[in-house]
Amino acid sequence: MYDFEDTTSTVRVTTVCVVGAGYVGLTAAVCLAQLGHRVVCVETNRERLATLQRGEVPIHEPGIEELLTRHARSGRLAFTDDLDVAMTGVSVALLCVGTPPGPDGEPDLRQLGRAGADVVAAARSDVLLIVKSTVPPGSCEALELLAAGHARDGVRVVVASNPEFLREGQAVWDFFNPDRVVVGIDEPAMQSLVTGLYPAQWPLLLCDRRSAELVKYAANTFLAVKISFANEVAQLCEALGADAHHVLTGVGLDARIGGAFLSPGPGFGGSCLPKDLAGFIAVSQSVGQSAPLARAAQTVNAQALAGLLSKLDASLGSVRAKRVAILGVAFKPGTGDVRFSPGVGLGEALARRGALVRAHDPLADPGSPDVEMVADPYEAAAGADALVIMTAWPEYRELDHQRLREVMAGHVVIDAVNVVSIGEVAHVDYDVYGVGRGLAMDFAPVLWPPLEWMLDVEPSDVAASR
Ligand SMILES: NC(=O)c1ccc[n+]([C@@H]2O[C@H](COP(=O)([O-])OP(=O)(O)OC[C@H]3O[C@@H](n4cnc5c(N)ncnc54)[C@H](O)[C@@H]3O)[C@@H](O)[C@H]2O)c1
């Protein structure tokens, strides 16, 4: 599927210990092996480790299986849970463990602290820890202090930052086609140990550690702000009778703005944006700043789910004891990841309100008692009073709407990702509510304010004439 072959030329071949075999660690492990490095990947989850040692891939990520098979054979890639084995003769470790949000949005860095301490304890000579996990500024310096306390006599510990920017569903492609490689290191003599992992022609931003750490937080916060802005514009479109698709396409065609992440929808989810936005706010707060823009993005995002619930309430009367079908529980198409997924959030919110929820997804299964998963979208829709499309999977653009309508009990369709072509379903006895598509209403109120602003009269006269 991918052409990996032209990337092996200019790396400084290194033996690397990759710690954590999730989306980031497993991608890094197979891709670094492809670049010519020797990689030992350490994973503490026994089930995940056993799967990998059998040569199977525990996540859906195109390209990983091919590289895993290739480099298990080439001898450049191995999996273990034994750090003593992994760190034998190894002085570079890439930390790719989880940094989930704590209850107040503060990042939970315990996995990172533990992994760093364990790696250093296993190291027999000077060790460079490279933090790929997303962490708040100051974490590399803190980890250096913490880990040094676990080092054997005479072993020196240096920590560098090298945040990861891959997107789930295209992680391998992103690894080999980075917009930038960011490396934060405060020891010039050790820079090349990090930068040499990657081909020299890849765009490199070399800086101090705090800046590198903040690049990742700031980038994800900006993406979250962009999505929330699109959703705010979409709400305005609904109220004004405009079409958010046209509006945001027109906005995004401006080269200074760009169209990526400007689609309205059910709000952002996944394991990164909500967590990193909350982390950005927590970090700002920790240094006495309030991050008003980031907070606003969070508020708008929470309103997206509330907006869907009120559309359902408005169209069904109440959702209590109603059957609702959800199409799509993955947080975005192309992945089976359901962490902080809007589809799962909606299912659980509906169940709390007494609705019966049945869902379909081509890949994902949240394993939630509130959401019954079925194998086919038409089975999910059977008997449903309302259907909600929550993930823009390509197959949901190809649905047979006549057939869906025949199996449904009701006629309400909430298209939270705007995949239904209104023109193509005009003949179906449906009420389709998209996001940011103006609803049929009396638009006269929209006309009065501009008229008032045009006329050379006192505003009070216009008001009196209405
Ligand atoms: N998923 C993404 O799209 C993405 C993109 C960029 C950055 N990130 C960041 O990268 C980090 C990892 O994300 P992820 O999605 O790969 O997480 P993940 O939860 O999928 O994977 C983390 C893995 O680390 C393992 N692990 C934890 N402690 C360990 C230890 N001491 N030794 C060995 N293995 C250990 C876990 O068992 C798990 O398999 C996070 O900080 C995340 O914010 C994620």
Side-chain angles (χ1 to χ4, degrees), residues 8 72 121 132 153 171 216 221 241 253 298 331 352 366 378 425 445 450 464:
T8 51
K132 266 210 155 313
D153 282 348
K216 175 69 190 181
T221 297
L253 282 171
Q298 226 175 21
F331 85 91
R352 279 196 299 276
Y378 303 94
V425 298

Side-chain angles (χ1 to χ4, degrees), residues 131-454:
V131 177
K132 266 210 155 313
S133 302
T134 303
V135 292
S139 299
C140 285
E141 291 154 80
L143 184 63
E144 205 167 80
L145 281 176
L146 184 148
H150 294 262
R152 297 175 194 210
D153 282 348
V155 169
R156 185 169 172 243
V157 182
V158 172
V159 180
S161 165
N162 174 211
E164 179 55 62
F165 298 93
L166 63 78
R167 292 163 292 180
E168 287 180 22
Q170 51 194 93
V172 171
W173 195 92
D174 282 347
F175 186 95
F176 286 110
N177 299 275
D179 291 335
R180 71 299 207 197
V181 173
V182 176
V183 173
I185 186 159
D186 296 347
E187 296 266 346
M190 301 188 88
Q191 272 172 16
S192 63
L193 271 179
V194 192
T195 58
L197 291 173
Y198 306 107
Q201 64 270 30
W202 288 5
L204 173 69
L205 174 71
L206 196 57
C207 57
D208 61 281
R209 293 180 287 189
R210 292 184 195 182
S211 300
E213 291 164 325
L214 191 53
V215 168
K216 175 69 190 181
Y217 261 19
N220 273 359
T221 297
F222 186 75
L223 293 175
V225 167
K226 226 176 157 189
I227 294 172
S228 282
F229 177 76
N231 281 331
E232 187 163 309
V233 170
Q235 277 183 20
L236 194 56
C237 287
E238 289 185 14
L240 293 175
D243 185 328
H245 172 70
H246 295 315
V247 175
L248 291 166
T249 302
V251 171
L253 282 171
D254 187 324
R256 294 168 301 177
I257 297 173
F261 280 67
L262 265 192
S263 302
F268 54 79
S271 67
C272 290
L273 287 196
K275 160 177 90 67
D276 296 346
L277 181 62
F280 183 93
I281 293 168
V283 163
S284 304
Q285 217 168 4
S286 74
V287 290
Q289 299 191 7
S290 63
L293 194 57
R295 282 178 196 276
Q298 226 175 21
T299 305
V300 172
N301 202 51
Q303 284 167 358
L305 181 62
L308 289 174
L309 287 166
S310 51
K311 274 180 184 161
L312 279 168
D313 274 335
S315 49
L316 295 177
S318 150
V319 297
R320 176 161 297 282
K322 298 282 178 8
R323 292 185 177 278
V324 181
I326 294 179
L327 300 190
V329 292
F331 85 91
K332 67 172 188 176
T335 182
D337 198 344
V338 294
R339 290 179 281 184
F340 299 95
S341 156
V344 178
L346 178 70
E348 291 175 346
L350 285 169
R352 279 196 299 276
R353 288 165 168 74
L356 302 161
V357 183
R358 197 183 262 182
H360 167 264
D361 191 282
L363 265 186
D365 183 345
S368 163
D370 293 334
V371 180
E372 180 196 352
M373 296 301 295
V374 293
D376 173 282
Y378 303 94
E379 194 183 339
D385 298 291
L387 177 82
V388 191
I389 309 178
M390 290 294 283
T391 312
W393 284 104
E395 41 270 73
Y396 295 158
R397 294 180 194 274
E398 311 289 328
L399 290 166
D400 178 344
H401 287 279
Q402 191 61 52
R403 187 176 157 205
L404 272 177
R405 178 64 189 92
E406 278 160 19
V407 298
M408 283 175 68
H411 48 81
V412 172
V413 175
I414 312 271
D415 178 12
V417 282
N418 287 349
V419 291
V420 178
S421 158
I422 302 288
E424 283 172 23
V425 298
H427 63 289
V428 183
D429 174 26
Y430 256 174
D431 290 333
V432 182
Y433 304 93
V435 176
R437 291 164 166 175
L439 304 174
M441 57 181 277
D442 176 5
F443 290 117
V446 173
L447 305 181
W448 293 125
L451 191 59
E452 191 171 315
W453 298 329
M454 269 173 221

Side-chain angles (χ1 to χ4, degrees), residues 69-123:
T69 307
R70 188 187 292 190
H71 294 296
R73 282 203 196 114
S74 74
R76 294 215 291 267
L77 177 62
F79 295 93
T80 180
D81 59 359
D82 188 337
L83 263 176
D84 282 327
V85 172
M87 288 303 291
T88 301
V90 176
S91 57
V92 176
L94 236 67
L95 303 185
C96 307
V97 298
T99 51
D104 300 325
E106 288 173 1
D108 177 349
L109 300 179
R110 285 175 297 177
Q111 286 183 41
L112 187 73
R114 206 167 300 136
D118 290 350
V119 167
V120 166

